[in-house]
Amino acid sequence: MTTFAIAHGGGDVGWSWHLVAEALRAKGHTVVAPDLPIEDESKDLTDWASTIVDALPSTSDVVAVGHSFGGFVAPLVAARVDARALVLVTAMVPSPGETPGDWWANTGYTGSGLEDQFFHDVPADLAAEAQKRERGMSENSMAKPWPLDAMPDVPTHFVLCTEDRFFTPDFMRGVVADRLGVEPVELAAGHCASLSKPNELADLLIACAS
């Protein structure tokens, strides 16, 4: 069975993927979703990827998954372990040498202007718990260039969340077309799909893996 190596988003923790992990494990898969050292100024994106790689029980049959800011991390994992696939979930898609801090202007990011951009479709108890677990982000992680020369040469998939108020569908379709050149898979969910639609997201990850 497949091992899903998950890079959570900025300010987040691996806990946000616990429901997806339960759904994947129920179907016989392995899931690794560690807390990344996002607050540590001595760590950079490569160190974040190492946290995931070091947590893997095996480097065979791995699918790297990145959510939101994790789009800068999951490709590094995929390149390190020769992954069978890379799945980006409503994620930032980096370009070689680009810093996460520059990504917003480079992609022409514009916000939706809507309130509650993250938890509007998440059950209230899960939203409250997620907010209690939020963390800060190091300045170093935003300032250092993405280290790869290109995206890893592995099958790459993008899950576009059609109810996302943070990375809006129209904006993300443009980014995916420009930077990945793939047709995204759509999921009727907001930005935190791992909490609002965990079973549906797990099914999509399995489909992408196969």
Side-chain angles (χ1 to χ4, degrees):
M1 288 294 185
T2 300
T3 296
F4 291 90
I6 298 173
H8 63 68
D12 205 359
V13 290
W15 171 90
S16 292
W17 285 79
H18 73 283
L19 296 176
V20 175
E22 289 174 7
L24 291 171
R25 288 173 182 140
K27 297 186 178 184
H29 301 289
T30 300
V31 181
V32 170
D35 292 351
L36 304 180
I38 63 175
E39 296 177 288
D40 189 340
E41 291 291 351
S42 70
K43 306 291 186 182
D44 58 21
L45 296 174
T46 301
D47 297 310
W48 295 16
S50 294
T51 299
I52 297 173
V53 173
D54 291 345
L56 291 171
S58 169
T59 57
S60 64
D61 197 14
V62 173
V63 172
V65 180
H67 172 243
S68 197
F69 194 98
F72 269 84
V73 182
L76 306 182
V77 175
R80 289 265 297 273
V81 302
D82 192 23
R84 66 180 292 178
L86 170 65
V87 185
L88 301 177
V89 180
T90 191
M92 299 165 77
V93 182
S95 287
E98 183 176 59
T99 70
D102 288 338
W103 182 90
W104 310 89
N106 291 348
T107 58
Y109 175 80
T110 54
S112 66
L114 296 171
E115 296 183 3
D116 190 5
Q117 296 190 8
F118 297 103
F119 301 111
H120 62 95
D121 65 336
V122 176
D125 59 331
L126 291 173
E129 184 64 27
Q131 289 171 296
K132 286 195 299 184
R133 293 171 181 262
E134 288 177 351
R135 298 185 290 162
M137 292 278 286
S138 70
E139 294 182 8
N140 188 36
S141 66
M142 301 297 290
K144 292 192 71 172
W146 192 63
L148 296 185
D149 294 330
M151 292 293 283
D153 185 20
V154 300
T156 300
H157 311 271
F158 194 96
V159 177
L160 188 144
C161 294
T162 60
E163 298 171 9
D164 195 336
R165 296 178 177 180
F166 184 61
F167 289 157
T168 58
D170 287 346
F171 165 72
M172 288 312 306
R173 287 189 184 97
V175 172
V176 173
D178 181 51
R179 297 195 167 198
L180 288 180
V182 303
E183 187 68 26
V185 178
E186 296 192 357
L187 176 63
H191 193 71
C192 298
S194 63
L195 294 173
S196 63
K197 295 289 182 66
N199 294 318
E200 294 87 344
L201 181 52
D203 288 343
L204 284 180
L205 295 180
I206 292 170
C208 291
S210 60

